């Protein structure tokens, strides 16, 4: 058992004892929340399939996680019942091509993608990508609805008494307050503290992208 696991078990034991006495511990540290719109991650092979041999994606602007960025390039997503144009590609290239949409998007496209952690694509939904030059890429799998998740450094995780892979609940305030459950914790020393939700969750809680939340439950 490592140091983080030991600290977590001590925290849980203390919390349980206090709850039995009617005392509740409330963590007040805030977690910034970002709303992630539909987007595409391409493998190097599929960059060339859509844009030509030797093509490199063009930097547009940084996004919340260090080393990640939005690209100038956009594609259309096509499903059995519809198409969504001008979908941003995010860089850098990845090992597998991944298409992330909301449930609202999926209904428009006529797709039934599963809710998955990024990179867990086996058995996910088939989808077609179309570049502005007319080139098409038909994927047998790769389309998902991304799970709610929080990026943290190991130091953040220690502070919040959580570990990589934990599921937590996060409370948000505002005009339409509420609790979002089943939020996956992702821990890596290169991450920046940030919770990512899709546009459906953002609209449901009236989150514009500059709000924050707080952990209210360690598991869901």
């Amino acid at each position: 058992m490592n140091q983080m696991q030991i600290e977590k078990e001590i925290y849980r034991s203390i919390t349980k004892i206090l709850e039995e006495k009617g005392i509740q511990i409330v963590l007040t540290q805030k977690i910034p929340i970002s709303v992630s719109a539909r987007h595409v991650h391409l493998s190097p092979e599929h960059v060339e399939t859509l844009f030509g041999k030797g093509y490199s994606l063009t930097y547009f602007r940084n996004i919340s996680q260090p080393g990640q960025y939005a690209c100038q390039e956009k594609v259309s997503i096509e499903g059995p019942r519809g198409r969504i144009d001008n979908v941003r590609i995010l860089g850098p290239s990845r090992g597998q091509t991944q298409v992330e949409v909301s449930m609202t998007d999926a209904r428009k496209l006529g797709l039934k993608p599963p809710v998955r952690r990024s990179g867990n694509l086996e058995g996910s939904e088939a989808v077609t990508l179309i570049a502005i030059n007319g080139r098409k890429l038909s994927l047998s799998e790769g389309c998902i609805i991304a799970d709610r998740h929080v990026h943290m450094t190991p130091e953040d995780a220690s502070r919040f008494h959580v570990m990589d892979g934990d599921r937590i609940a996060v409370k948000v305030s505002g005009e339409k307050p509420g609790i979002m459950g089943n939020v996956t914790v992702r821990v890596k020393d290169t991450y920046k503290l940030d919770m990512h939700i899709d546009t459906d969750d953002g609209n449901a809680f009236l989150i514009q992208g500059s709000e924050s939340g707080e952990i209210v439950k360690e598991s869901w």
Side-chain angles (χ1 to χ4, degrees), residues 11-152:
Y11 172 79
R12 282 178 169 168
S13 298
I14 294 173
T15 300
K16 184 177 180 181
I17 293 170
L18 292 174
E19 285 180 347
E20 289 174 352
K21 296 179 178 295
I23 302 171
Q24 183 178 11
I25 293 179
V26 178
L27 295 177
T28 57
Q29 295 101 324
K30 297 293 185 179
I31 298 174
I33 301 175
S34 294
V35 179
S36 182
R38 65 183 81 97
H39 60 271
V40 174
H41 301 277
L42 291 176
S43 69
E45 175 190 357
H46 289 160
V47 170
E48 293 192 340
T49 299
L50 288 171
F51 299 104
K53 187 171 180 61
Y55 190 90
S56 296
L57 295 172
T58 311
Y59 171 88
F60 175 56
R61 62 176 174 81
N62 290 330
I63 55 178
S64 64
Q65 290 306 301
Q68 305 293 306
Y69 54 89
C71 301
Q72 295 278 6
E73 291 80 8
K74 299 178 182 179
V75 293
S76 296
I77 304 175
E78 188 174 71
R81 290 207 304 265
R83 169 171 163 159
I84 298 175
D85 296 322
N86 298 314
V87 179
R88 184 78 64 182
I89 296 172
L90 301 187
S93 299
R94 291 190 176 186
Q96 288 180 284
T97 292
Q98 178 172 297
V99 180
E100 298 182 34
V101 298
S102 67
M103 179 57 77
T104 299
D105 294 333
R107 287 171 177 159
K108 179 177 180 178
L109 295 166
L111 302 177
K112 295 182 179 179
V115 178
R116 293 280 183 83
R117 179 170 179 164
S118 180
N120 181 8
L121 303 179
E122 184 176 355
S124 57
E125 183 67 288
V127 71
T128 297
L129 301 178
I130 308 170
I132 194 170
N133 57 25
R135 293 190 180 195
K136 289 189 176 184
L137 170 65
S138 295
L139 300 171
S140 59
E141 61 183 18
C143 184
I144 63 170
I145 297 172
D147 64 348
R148 299 164 174 165
H149 57 276
V150 179
H151 293 277
M152 294 185 181

Side-chain angles (χ1 to χ4, degrees), residues 192-204:
K192 176 183 176 183
L193 182 63
D194 198 29
M195 177 176 173
H196 288 182
I197 59 175
D198 65 19
T199 51
D200 283 350
D201 282 336
N203 291 334

Side-chain angles (χ1 to χ4, degrees), residues 180-210:
M180 286 186 275
N182 213 18
V183 180
T184 304
V185 175
R186 301 183 189 174
V187 181
K188 189 180 290 186
D189 56 8
T190 56
Y191 284 160
K192 176 183 176 183
L193 182 63
D194 198 29
M195 177 176 173
H196 288 182
I197 59 175
D198 65 19
T199 51
D200 283 350
D201 282 336
N203 291 334
F205 291 88
L206 295 184
I207 294 172
Q208 303 298 316
S210 58

